[in-house]
Amino acid sequence: MIELKNITFSYEGRNQGGLRDINLTVKDGECILLCGRSGCGKTTITRLVNGLIPRFYAGGLTGQVLVDGKDIADLTMYEIAKKVGSVFQNPRTQFFNTDSNSEIAFGLENQGMPTEKLRQRVETTAVDLEIQSLRNRSLHALSGGEKQKVAFASVYAMNPDIYLLDEPSSNLDMDAIQDLRKHLKFVKQQGKTILIAEHRLYYLMDVADRIVYMEQGQIAGIYTPEQFKAIKKDERERMGLRAVDLHEVHPQFTSPGVTEDKILKLQDVSLFYRKQAIVEHITLSAGMGEVIGVIGHNGAGKTTLSRTLCGLHNDTSGQFLWNKKPQDRKKRLHRSYMVMQDVNFELFADSVEAECSFGIRNPDKSLIEATMDGLGLLPYRNHHPNTLSGGQKQRVAVAVSMICGKELLVFDEPTSGLDFDSMEQVALLIQKLSAMGKVIFVVTHDYEFVCRTCSRVLHIDHGEQCDDLPLVPDNEENLKKLFSI
């Protein structure tokens, strides 16, 4: 059993993400879904249960956190780790090794498990979670979704009583999300207790026993799945929550700036990594204002394509043309801007406001102000980017994409970790960029976001370009099939 008694916590040097007067009891074997806007305190609750607060996140804490009747404050991290396993939003932050086998085995090694038993446990983990294809792989060569699977496996291998998951679906494709759902049901059947902080809600409606909705650091409501699904769409969106049933989400068929003239062309483009073909024979044309969703399974080559479009990956063949003129790697670099899947790689300045003008000559201050305002970043203009939540960091990177004035924009999983409000803000921003005539590629697994932003969908899988689907009313059923809905 987990008990949070009269918990109040505030992060040192931060006004957001803390908790006030939290009282919550989680029974053994219960699955609790924590939901609410970015910064509402979901992740903070998980950090209290795994002991990271106050040991690694400083701040003012009052109240008690009890696990099986023992105060977390009285336990060592080693003792906590025996009971509690954590899967973080960004799996890279919890890796200690360079290959998948070693990472899955790492916790077991620290527990002193005998070698033969350890090997058997790693094998059993791979079979149970159906990730044999990820065995003996370099972590650096895995996609974001594949890394998330390895992170979950490393926790599963240790067989904890309590699983804590922070936005575990943020980098997963639709099939992998269903695998995650199956795995959560599997560990729940084993009697494990699960706390999961999540923005994507639809896949958990038949897994969660209770849904805890949070607002500004407080518990604003606790629902059964039936009560939660009964909340009307407008009210749910007002609460900052995303869809609970993707069958009720429909494409909006908005493409404000699309022109008939094709300014970008890819002619028989193939992508390679270490001399191995990843995707072959891509041929497409894009007009100004087009918003092209790039979809496919984890590891299909979507991110490699996005990096290639921006000149960040050069092991390619075929032709890139802009306005009928060949574009080598340098020209593509000059013309494009990419919002990376892991935004920590592109945040350099010491404040949000400084980040929005970093590396830009003669930045337009009024544009910076308007963009921060439009993305809800003004309250954090003087905050260091690394003190923001994952969703807020994503919005900062998106803001830079609008301010920098590039013609080709690529967004790699731009809604990773975003609540409904932030997802809608990013969708509106992309629509503005489309109206400005930008050519935009969006690498995503997010069906809700595709429905709000894209004019067509490029489907890449099994090493080839499978579909190029215009988003017109007649294609809605085909779109749902591509997303396995």
Side-chain angles (χ1 to χ4, degrees), residues 20 31 48 54 99 132 185 241 347 352 365 412 445 454:
R20 287 184 294 154
C31 177
L48 284 164
D99 69 278
Q132 293 97 326
K185 282 189 163 188
L241 300 174
L347 298 176
V352 169
K365 291 185 178 180
D412 192 359
H445 302 299
C454 294

Side-chain angles (χ1 to χ4, degrees), residues 450-463:
V450 166
C451 287
R452 286 176 175 270
T453 57
C454 294
S455 54
R456 59 195 265 215
V457 165
L458 179 69
H459 178 212
I460 294 176
D461 245 331
H462 309 297

Side-chain angles (χ1 to χ4, degrees), residues 274-469:
R274 293 182 178 176
K275 299 182 180 180
Q276 295 292 317
I278 300 173
V279 186
E280 295 184 283
H281 311 304
I282 300 171
T283 297
L284 65 86
S285 300
M288 295 174 65
E290 281 213 70
V291 182
I292 301 172
V294 183
I295 69 169
H297 287 97
N298 292 124
K302 304 181 302 297
T303 294
T304 305
L305 173 61
S306 67
R307 289 172 56 81
T308 303
L309 288 167
C310 295
L312 297 171
H313 180 83
N314 203 36
D315 193 359
T316 67
S317 63
Q319 265 202 313
F320 298 81
L321 304 174
W322 185 272
N323 206 14
K324 300 180 180 178
K325 296 178 181 176
Q327 300 289 297
D328 61 15
R329 180 170 175 265
K330 275 190 176 180
K331 288 178 180 176
R332 299 201 303 274
L333 276 169
H334 180 74
R335 193 177 299 281
S336 60
Y337 180 86
M338 181 177 179
V339 178
M340 297 181 183
Q341 183 173 341
D342 185 349
V343 294
N344 292 295
F345 285 128
E346 56 185 313
L347 298 176
F348 303 104
D350 58 6
S351 73
V352 169
E353 187 169 17
E355 191 68 50
C356 288
S357 60
F358 191 84
I360 301 173
R361 292 182 181 178
N362 304 315
D364 184 336
K365 291 185 178 180
S366 62
L367 176 59
I368 291 172
E369 190 85 6
T371 304
M372 287 194 298
D373 187 28
L375 287 173
L377 294 171
L378 280 181
Y380 314 107
R381 67 191 307 162
N382 296 318
H383 289 220
H384 196 289
N386 285 337
T387 66
L388 304 180
S389 70
Q392 290 163 339
K393 289 178 183 178
Q394 195 83 330
R395 277 185 275 161
V396 173
V398 168
V400 178
S401 73
M402 184 172 185
I403 295 163
C404 67
K406 303 289 188 177
E407 297 169 283
L408 174 64
L409 303 176
V410 178
F411 295 82
D412 192 359
E413 297 288 357
T415 58
S416 173
L418 296 192
D419 58 22
F420 174 81
D421 295 347
S422 301
M423 185 264 288
E424 189 174 48
Q425 288 169 348
V426 174
L428 289 172
L429 172 57
I430 286 181
Q431 289 172 18
K432 287 180 184 176
L433 294 167
S434 169
M436 293 163 60
K438 311 290 186 182
V439 177
I440 303 165
F441 286 82
V442 180
V443 177
T444 186
H445 302 299
D446 191 338
Y447 177 75
E448 289 180 83
F449 190 66
V450 166
C451 287
R452 286 176 175 270
T453 57
C454 294
S455 54
R456 59 195 265 215
V457 165
L458 179 69
H459 178 212
I460 294 176
D461 245 331
H462 309 297
E464 62 183 17
Q465 176 181 335
C466 301
D467 301 278
D468 191 346
L469 187 72

Side-chain angles (χ1 to χ4, degrees), residues 133-167:
S133 64
L134 300 182
R135 293 282 304 276
N136 300 305
R137 297 275 299 277
S138 166
L139 294 177
H140 303 294
L142 300 183
S143 70
E146 290 169 331
K147 288 175 183 175
Q148 192 70 289
K149 290 181 179 181
V150 172
F152 185 87
S154 69
V155 172
Y156 179 85
M158 294 181 69
N159 195 30
D161 294 326
I162 299 169
Y163 284 73
L164 305 178
L165 299 97
D166 189 9
E167 302 288 349

Side-chain angles (χ1 to χ4, degrees), residues 123-291:
E123 180 65 33
T124 301
T125 295
V127 172
D128 286 352
L129 301 183
E130 299 175 342
I131 57 166
Q132 293 97 326
S133 64
L134 300 182
R135 293 282 304 276
N136 300 305
R137 297 275 299 277
S138 166
L139 294 177
H140 303 294
L142 300 183
S143 70
E146 290 169 331
K147 288 175 183 175
Q148 192 70 289
K149 290 181 179 181
V150 172
F152 185 87
S154 69
V155 172
Y156 179 85
M158 294 181 69
N159 195 30
D161 294 326
I162 299 169
Y163 284 73
L164 305 178
L165 299 97
D166 189 9
E167 302 288 349
S169 73
S170 59
N171 296 316
L172 300 183
D173 62 46
M174 299 295 276
D175 288 346
I177 288 174
Q178 291 309 314
D179 287 342
L180 172 63
R181 172 178 163 274
K182 183 170 66 175
H183 296 153
L184 290 173
K185 282 189 163 188
F186 181 55
V187 297
K188 188 179 174 185
Q189 287 169 358
Q190 296 173 355
K192 308 299 184 181
T193 304
I194 304 169
L195 265 70
I196 179 166
E198 183 64 283
H199 288 306
R200 292 180 186 171
L201 308 175
Y202 68 91
Y203 75 98
L204 294 169
M205 289 300 98
D206 65 345
V207 180
D209 297 298
R210 287 186 292 160
I211 294 98
V212 176
Y213 171 64
M214 301 187 65
E215 272 189 338
Q216 298 179 343
Q218 294 183 300
I219 294 176
I222 299 179
Y223 306 84
T224 65
E226 292 73 22
Q227 291 169 333
F228 193 72
K229 286 186 282 189
I231 299 172
K232 294 187 182 301
K233 177 177 179 288
D234 291 347
E235 174 65 11
R236 189 181 66 245
E237 291 179 355
R238 185 198 64 76
M239 295 165 69
L241 300 174
R242 303 188 63 172
V244 295
D245 184 353
L246 293 187
H247 290 95
E248 298 175 1
V249 178
H250 307 288
Q252 297 184 359
F253 310 116
T254 56
S255 47
V258 176
T259 63
E260 292 296 324
D261 296 332
K262 303 300 183 183
I263 193 167
L264 171 69
K265 290 189 178 182
L266 276 63
Q267 296 180 342
D268 196 25
V269 168
S270 296
L271 317 177
F272 304 89
Y273 180 75
R274 293 182 178 176
K275 299 182 180 180
Q276 295 292 317
I278 300 173
V279 186
E280 295 184 283
H281 311 304
I282 300 171
T283 297
L284 65 86
S285 300
M288 295 174 65
E290 281 213 70
V291 182

Side-chain angles (χ1 to χ4, degrees), residues 14-87:
R14 286 168 54 183
N15 298 321
Q16 197 220 17
L19 301 171
R20 287 184 294 154
D21 304 319
I22 298 294
N23 286 281
L24 180 66
T25 298
V26 182
K27 299 174 185 176
D28 290 341
E30 192 173 20
C31 177
I32 300 293
L33 167 59
L34 302 169
C35 63
R37 292 179 171 87
S38 295
C40 70
K42 305 184 298 295
T43 298
T44 302
I45 286 182
T46 66
R47 289 171 178 168
L48 284 164
V49 177
N50 63 19
L52 293 181
I53 291 175
R55 291 169 176 83
F56 294 94
Y57 293 94
L61 173 63
T62 60
Q64 272 188 312
V65 181
L66 304 177
V67 174
D68 293 339
K70 296 179 181 178
D71 195 323
I72 282 286
D74 297 332
L75 300 176
T76 65
M77 289 303 292
Y78 177 77
E79 290 171 318
I80 295 171
K82 282 185 174 181
K83 284 188 168 293
V84 182
S86 301
V87 181

